[in-house]
């Protein structure tokens, strides 16, 4: 059974308990697949569970578990499922945190699902109308509006121009039974003959600087029916946001070009998701777009130049509604594109979507949301006050600027562990294919494992004196995860000294941003009840690995939740609920933007955070326990 | 001085009165050009005036005047200006009806000007804004809306997507002074740097089946700055409405084709008017379109098929607003196209425009409005009740189906008279150029003059026994207006027997329609206080000639007003006034449509009206006096 993010597995009286029968084995029987990258050898530390009842039925905590789990975790009942051997009959109740569930890993990348009252902007109604007669010559529009009023109690509706052009033919083709697509309960946007009410789809799109993710939803069921993602095709025009702004600002033509490639990409994703779900693109009647402010502007064809110039004003904060065809989207021509509002020049609609998905603004307790990307947005707050900032963290966590970095495609190393006894690595790839590179979650795991096992020190330097065959020193020092003979790349796949530095720069920027927000709100890390870790790491990032790097303040691990692409989740919520949209416009009015560049302590915070996990180890007590010191 | 449609000319004490000095001569001195096609020989009857004061100063009524004017007219003080000789000093006050004023002829073709309170949908405001600062980072949109609220007391405005894309650059280019174009006081549709408020134009277009007329207006001044017209380019797809409906209904492609050629033509007229007024097409921010229901549908890309099938329902009655760019119009991209509402399948937006221009629906007294075209719309009523019908009158009055018919271009014969003594014709051409053909008003004049002078009889048959050199009988009988040696056509220009028949068919349809409307309202001709004669005759049609043909009920001539292209006038009014637009939607709710085909007496009325002016001459007492019987 599942409840929230935890699976409760009960192992009742069982006479045939084999020697060495673990919770991991029991879970398999119960068809709960627990993630164990190392194959159950106690090395990867991915199969964390919490024993809720019957701890006496288990063998004592092993040495391997003590290395993988912090003192707090051990005290809280955490075990590794592969090490926790059942030694006698009885009921053992364990909780399996979401990050330990193998089956969920891929799914969760799509982002958390936050419940919304389903009330999409776009709804279809089947209505039956009566023909006009010579005695009662009504116009087609009058007949339709009368029918809507009688059958659906919709009064004061208007008909869009597009719907009007469909009306006369649809009424006759449908023999006066038509499906009316309405927007926001007041606008008839499409008329189709007969009953097409079951075919109502919408597209939610998160336009990241690096990756564009799309979700096709059945608006009747409120469910995702297909997802697809692609690299942002603007990358050739400038990897970072600023160079794209610079390119777009040069001429109207350049702006149109950057807009054009994104729109073409979204169209491709639309067609891909539609194809895989057996949907026609014209059955997509609504679109929600999110992205940072620059992506927002470029997608809409608004010159982003001034967003990048002090005082960084966005062209607009409030949400924008545009006709899909005006943007060149190949949905139903009647579809509308709703773009979530922006907070500031560098905290855009994607951050608002993050807030919607994590509901920070509605919580009584203090939460921090970190949406890791090329620009990382951080939001700290609760129902009383919410503040946000943005930091330039670079694309390392998305696999960018990493020697063997790649997207989370089949063959990408997504989980890594290092056997502390011999420094031999183990890993899991996407699709369990032969390795081809390392994706975001893989590089986080790898660097954390290298730190834990002493392959790198707190300065991030690879210990070339270890004299291990995996640590190569010809050229730049590097740690080999996969020999060229073992992979499809034809080249050793390694984590290089430079890769580690990229990760350090990225995580330092994020940690410094989070620290300054906390300073602004005068709160300490222990006051934070919830850390939402979001971002396009490719696959499920291990919150423990992330905290080992010092990416976010060291809080008890159970307070940390990886929420995947939360911006995408927020976009989906806006696609499913008009209330969420109204909420979004209120949220931006209540988020205070903190300009990091204007904070005098940013520089020092950043520099100190370059160490792993931090120069000041008292800030990372849990991590301190886990790291094997030189 | 002018008042309404009448010029009052005062001829005061004058010692040097020459022998034979007429009102026509006096008018010339006073720079009031009175129309006298025959050059002041008392033959054309076009220089009718009404003596208001000082009739004793004039020589008695001449024989020629008695032939041109009816008994009622003579009793009411009507004279011909060329025949009314001043015989003594003193003040003579005469009224010059609009149809007698030569200067006005060409102008009045543009239609009457009905006063409207100027409140155009589109208005520009210059506003001065303050830059954002790091202390107060507002979005550009917030700055703009705050400015609108402070400087113009415009609250709750929204910004269209197009305006949003212009905003960031315009604000900086204008150094925070921008011109805001607003629609209906609530929607920002365009942002331009600096002050462009003086450049606010709009286009009114009347899409007739045969002719498309356009008017470029300065929306600040409320004045027409240029006009242009062209033949409807759909004519090659079918001269009559039904064949165009049939063509458009065959496929979506055909419909798009018919729509495309009209839109291209309107764009051409837009560019032509803009060029002649020194306006850039992008300075046109608003468009009003009128046309019959089929033209309405085709212009909007709505399948017109069902309009032509019983019970002839239009797709929509109420007014439609469409973005100009959605129709492919090359105005400012932000421009909106407002299309006036329709009454019924065959009484369209053009008839509503006619009603707006003539204000039938606001008058306490009974009026009839006849908008002559390929389809002629007739509206009868007053402020209490208004009814309308449509009759298929064919293109004869627009010069169509007439052997030497042509548009009212230079060289078109626009006025005709026949000297009763020798049956010699006289005429005036457009631009006073050598004749090339006959336009609508010319053919009306010619047939009326032929009837008056006995060249044709009440059945419309040319009297070939008259043995006049102008009446040719080789082939079909015809009456020659201009010998080939005298014109630029290289061919005798004549009115043929067939032409007369076309006119008979056309006017019979119109008269039958008017009669059935009167029957529906149970009113007699004498109860009609005002006849508005509208239509695209080319130039100013002579109401007397029209009544001689029996086109409309025989009412005293002073009750008849030729209002030219009243549909165009109504379109211009809607361009200048939001109240007029609101009014228009109310009008259609209160006009009852009369389906002529459903009236059992239509056939008989039509047949009887084929005679000139009518089988029952008691219905045309005034005309009876004027016609020289065989």
């Amino acid at each position: 059974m599942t409840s929230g993010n935890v699976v409760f597995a009960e192992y009742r009286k069982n006479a045939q308990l084999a020697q060495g029968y673990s919770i991991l084995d029991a879970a398999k029987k119960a068809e709960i697949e627990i993630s164990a990258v190392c194959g159950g050898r106690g090395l990867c530390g991915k199969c964390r569970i919490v024993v809720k009842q019957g701890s006496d039925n288990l063998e004592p905590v092993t040495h391997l578990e003590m290395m993988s789990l912090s003192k707090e975790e051990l005290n809280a009942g955490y075990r590794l499922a592969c090490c926790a051997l059942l030694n006698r009959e009885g009921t053992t109740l364990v909780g399996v945190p979401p990050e330990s569930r193998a089956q969920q890993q891929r799914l969760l990348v799509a982002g958390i699902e936050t419940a919304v009252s389903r009330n999409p902007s776009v709804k279809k109604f089947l209505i039956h109308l009566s023909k006009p007669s010579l005695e009662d010559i009504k116009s087609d529009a009058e007949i339709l509006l009368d029918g809507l009023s009688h059958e659906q109690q919709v009064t004061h509706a208007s008909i869009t121009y597009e719907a009007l052009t469909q009306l006369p033919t649809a009424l006759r083709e449908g023999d006066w039974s038509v499906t009316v697509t309405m927007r926001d309960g007041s606008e008839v946007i499409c008329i189709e003959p007969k009953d097409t009410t079951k075919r109502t789809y919408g597209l939610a799109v998160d336009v990241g600087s690096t990756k564009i993710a799309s979700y096709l939803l059945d608006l009747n069921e409120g469910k995702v029916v297909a997802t697809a993602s692609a690299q942002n095709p603007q990358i050739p025009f400038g990897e970072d946001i600023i160079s794209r702004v610079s390119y777009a600002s040069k001429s109207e033509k350049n702006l149109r070009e950057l807009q054009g490639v994104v729109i073409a990409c979204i169209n491709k994703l639309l067609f891909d998701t539609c194809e895989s779900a057996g949907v026609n693109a014209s059955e997509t009647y609504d679109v929600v777009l999110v992205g940072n402010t620059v992506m927002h502007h470029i997608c809409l064809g608004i010159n982003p130049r001034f967003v990048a110039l002090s005082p960084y004003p966005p062209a607009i904060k409030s949400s924008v509604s545009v006709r899909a065809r005006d943007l060149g989207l190949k949905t139903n021509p009647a579809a509308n594109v709703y773009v979530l509002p922006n907070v500031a020049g560098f905290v855009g609609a994607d951050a608002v979507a993050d807030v919607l998905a994590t509901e920070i603004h509605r919580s009584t307790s203090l939460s921090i949301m970190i949406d890791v990307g090329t620009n990382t947005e951080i939001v700290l707050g609760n129902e009383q006050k919410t503040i946000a900032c943005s930091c330039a963290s670079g694309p390392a966590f998305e696999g960018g600027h990493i020697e063997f970095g790649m997207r989370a495609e089949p063959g990408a190393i997504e989980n890594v562990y290092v056997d502390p006894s011999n420094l031999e690595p183990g890993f899991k790839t996407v699709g369990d294919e032969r390795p081809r590179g390392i994706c975001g979650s893989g590089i986080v795991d790898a660097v954390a494992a290298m730190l834990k096992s002493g392959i790198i020190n707190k300065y991030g330097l690879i210990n070339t004196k270890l004299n291990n065959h995996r640590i190569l020193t010809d050229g730049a020092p590097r740690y080999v995860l996969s020999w060229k003979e073992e992979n499809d790349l034809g080249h050793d796949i390694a984590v290089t000294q430079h890769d580690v530095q990229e990760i350090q720069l990225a995580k330092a920027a994020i940690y410094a941003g989070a620290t300054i927000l906390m300073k602004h709100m005068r709160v300490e890390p222990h006051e934070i009840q919830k850390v939402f870790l979001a971002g396009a790491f490719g696959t499920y990032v291990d919150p423990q690995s992330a905290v080992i790097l010092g990416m976010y303040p060291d809080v008890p691990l159970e307070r940390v939740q990886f929420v995947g692409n939360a911006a995408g989740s927020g976009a989906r919520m806006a696609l499913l609920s008009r209330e969420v949209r109204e909420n979004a416009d209120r949220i931006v009015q209540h988020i205070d933007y903190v300009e990091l560049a204007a904070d005098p302590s940013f520089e020092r915070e950043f520099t100190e955070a370059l160490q792993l996990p931090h120069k000041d180890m008292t800030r990372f007590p849990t991590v301190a326990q886990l790291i094997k010191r030189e």
Side-chain angles (χ1 to χ4, degrees), chain A:
Chain A
M1 63 183 148
T2 61
S3 161
N5 294 309
V6 179
V7 174
F8 295 93
E10 281 186 38
Y11 304 113
R12 293 180 192 283
K13 194 170 187 305
N14 188 331
Q16 289 117 31
L17 268 186
Q19 194 69 14
Y21 191 78
S22 71
I23 291 286
L24 189 64
D25 300 323
K28 263 180 210 149
K29 284 235 162 146
E31 291 182 357
I32 296 168
E33 230 180 293
I34 294 178
S35 166
V37 175
C38 62
R41 293 189 290 146
L43 296 171
C44 69
K46 303 287 183 199
C47 61
R48 279 189 295 272
I49 53 166
V50 196
V51 181
K52 302 280 184 182
Q53 190 189 317
S55 60
D56 292 350
N57 298 334
L58 298 170
E59 296 272 346
V61 171
T62 63
H63 179 68
L64 283 169
E65 288 174 279
M66 282 188 229
M67 284 181 64
S68 273
L69 300 167
S70 70
K71 206 179 286 172
E72 282 83 3
E73 288 177 311
L74 290 168
N75 288 343
Y78 271 82
R79 299 288 305 259
L80 296 181
C82 64
C83 297
L85 303 181
L86 287 154
N87 63 359
R88 53 177 201 142
E89 294 176 15
T91 298
T92 312
L93 185 63
V94 303
V96 187
E99 61 267 27
S100 301
R101 294 177 59 197
Q103 285 178 313
Q104 294 238 334
Q105 288 211 2
R106 200 53 40 79
L107 286 175
L108 276 167
V109 172
I112 51 168
E113 294 299 337
T114 303
V116 290
S117 63
R118 196 157 50 73
N119 180 20
S121 168
V122 164
K123 285 177 193 160
K124 281 186 174 183
F125 303 105
L126 174 67
I127 54 171
H128 306 281
L129 304 165
S130 41
K131 290 187 198 185
S133 65
L134 263 175
E135 290 68 47
D136 184 23
I137 311 178
K138 281 183 182 160
S139 70
D140 293 349
E142 283 171 300
I143 291 172
L144 181 78
L145 294 178
D146 285 357
L148 271 176
S149 164
H150 284 126
E151 291 197 26
Q152 297 292 338
Q153 287 72 51
V154 174
T155 53
H156 301 103
S158 63
I159 305 177
T160 63
Y161 167 58
E162 289 80 7
L164 183 62
T165 62
Q166 299 160 345
L167 183 59
T169 308
L171 286 177
R172 277 91 187 169
E173 270 185 19
D175 197 20
W176 304 88
S177 289
V178 289
T179 298
V180 177
T181 307
M182 297 206 66
R183 187 159 89 89
D184 292 346
S186 62
E187 199 179 37
V188 174
I189 61 167
C190 189
I191 317 277
E192 292 159 332
K194 304 214 169 74
D195 187 357
T196 68
T197 51
K198 292 226 181 324
R199 313 287 298 172
T200 319
Y201 299 90
L203 191 75
V205 187
D206 169 33
V207 182
S209 325
T210 305
K211 185 177 141 184
I212 302 182
S214 70
Y215 310 86
L216 186 70
L217 273 78
D218 179 328
L219 298 181
N220 292 319
E221 302 292 327
K223 281 182 184 157
V224 175
V225 293
T227 66
S229 69
Q231 185 170 292
N232 189 325
Q234 294 175 336
I235 291 174
F237 298 90
E239 196 164 56
D240 61 303
I241 283 290
I242 297 303
S243 33
R244 286 184 226 170
V245 168
S246 157
Y247 184 84
S249 306
K250 261 181 204 138
S251 69
E252 179 74 15
K253 186 182 148 283
N254 282 14
L255 173 58
R256 295 287 154 224
E257 192 180 2
L258 281 193
Q259 183 190 22
V261 295
V262 169
I263 296 299
C265 178
I266 297 174
N267 277 332
K268 170 85 167 57
L269 295 174
L270 169 71
F271 294 139
D272 288 353
T273 49
C274 282
E275 196 183 339
S276 72
V279 170
N280 194 303
S282 68
E283 293 172 319
T284 312
Y285 300 87
D286 202 10
V287 178
V288 171
L289 272 192
V290 303
N292 64 47
T293 308
V294 170
M295 286 303 112
H296 168 287
H297 281 42
I298 294 179
C299 281
L300 291 175
I302 301 171
N303 190 340
R305 183 172 171 204
F306 312 105
V307 174
L309 294 176
S310 177
Y312 318 107
I316 190 164
K317 282 187 185 176
S318 50
S319 59
V320 174
S321 279
V322 196
R323 298 189 323 172
R325 50 191 277 195
D326 283 351
L327 295 186
L329 292 179
K330 307 291 189 193
T331 55
N332 188 293
N336 185 68
V337 179
Y338 170 86
V339 193
L340 277 164
N342 296 312
V343 173
F346 283 101
V347 177
D350 48 358
V352 176
D354 287 332
V355 173
L356 287 172
T358 55
E359 298 188 306
I360 289 179
H361 65 297
R362 297 177 125 188
S363 173
T364 50
S365 55
L366 192 70
S367 311
I368 192 165
M369 190 290 306
I370 303 176
D371 190 350
V372 178
T374 308
N375 274 276
T376 294
E377 292 85 17
I378 310 177
V379 183
L380 175 69
N382 54 25
E383 58 180 8
Q384 314 239 303
K385 183 179 165 76
T386 317
I387 61 175
C389 72
S390 165
C391 32
S393 45
F397 288 124
E398 295 165 275
H401 291 191
I402 298 297
E403 178 97 28
F404 297 98
M406 67 177 284
R407 291 168 56 207
E409 288 171 345
I413 293 172
E414 56 175 340
N415 289 124
V416 177
Y417 68 94
V418 173
D419 186 334
S421 64
N422 54 11
L423 305 187
E424 278 300 298
F427 54 78
K428 190 191 165 305
T429 62
V430 175
D432 293 320
E433 296 199 1
R434 277 163 67 94
R436 293 199 297 120
I438 315 172
C439 70
S441 58
I443 194 76
V444 169
D445 257 18
V447 177
M450 286 162 74
L451 182 67
K452 265 168 72 182
S453 60
I455 296 170
I456 56 173
N457 65 13
K458 63 189 285 191
Y459 303 104
L461 296 173
I462 293 177
N463 189 346
T464 50
K465 296 179 191 136
L466 282 175
N467 202 18
N468 184 289
H469 75 123
R470 291 271 172 183
I471 299 171
L472 303 185
T473 53
D474 54 319
R478 59 201 186 278
Y479 172 68
V480 177
L481 295 177
S482 162
W483 302 110
K484 65 178 171 187
E485 298 78 18
E486 300 164 352
N487 65 48
D488 275 2
L489 198 66
H491 201 291
D492 295 345
I493 296 173
V495 178
T496 69
Q497 183 64 67
H498 179 260
D499 293 346
V500 177
Q501 281 164 1
E502 286 286 332
I503 292 294
Q504 285 173 281
L505 288 167
K507 74 97 187 178
I510 296 169
Y511 182 80
T515 305
I516 285 171
L517 283 195
M518 289 191 288
K519 241 179 52 184
H520 269 259
M521 259 183 113
R522 298 167 199 278
V523 294
E524 294 293 320
H526 72 268
E527 295 174 70
I528 295 173
Q529 299 303 310
K530 195 87 194 176
V531 175
F532 294 103
L533 208 53
F537 294 90
T539 60
Y540 202 104
V541 77
D542 185 349
Q544 192 172 55
S545 295
V547 79
I548 286 172
L549 298 183
M551 192 192 291
Y552 60 87
D554 188 357
V555 301
L557 211 55
E558 65 266 25
R559 296 190 191 170
V560 185
Q561 185 181 352
F562 179 64
V563 290
N565 185 358
S569 303
R572 293 198 300 277
M573 289 165 70
L575 193 56
L576 291 178
S577 163
R578 289 166 61 188
E579 288 72 26
V580 166
R581 298 185 185 192
E582 285 161 23
N583 218 349
D585 269 321
R586 275 197 298 274
I587 286 173
V588 289
Q589 298 304 325
H590 294 106
I591 295 185
D592 285 335
Y593 172 68
V594 175
E595 174 59 47
L596 292 184
D599 192 291
S601 61
F602 179 76
E603 194 68 27
R604 189 172 47 77
E605 285 293 347
F606 175 73
T607 312
E608 291 187 5
L610 282 171
Q611 292 188 33
L612 294 168
H614 196 274
K615 185 182 179 190
D616 177 7
M617 285 302 288
T618 64
R619 296 203 197 181
F620 285 85
T622 315
V623 178
Q625 287 180 46
L626 293 171
I627 296 181
K628 184 178 170 184
R629 291 282 154 198
E630 295 132 292

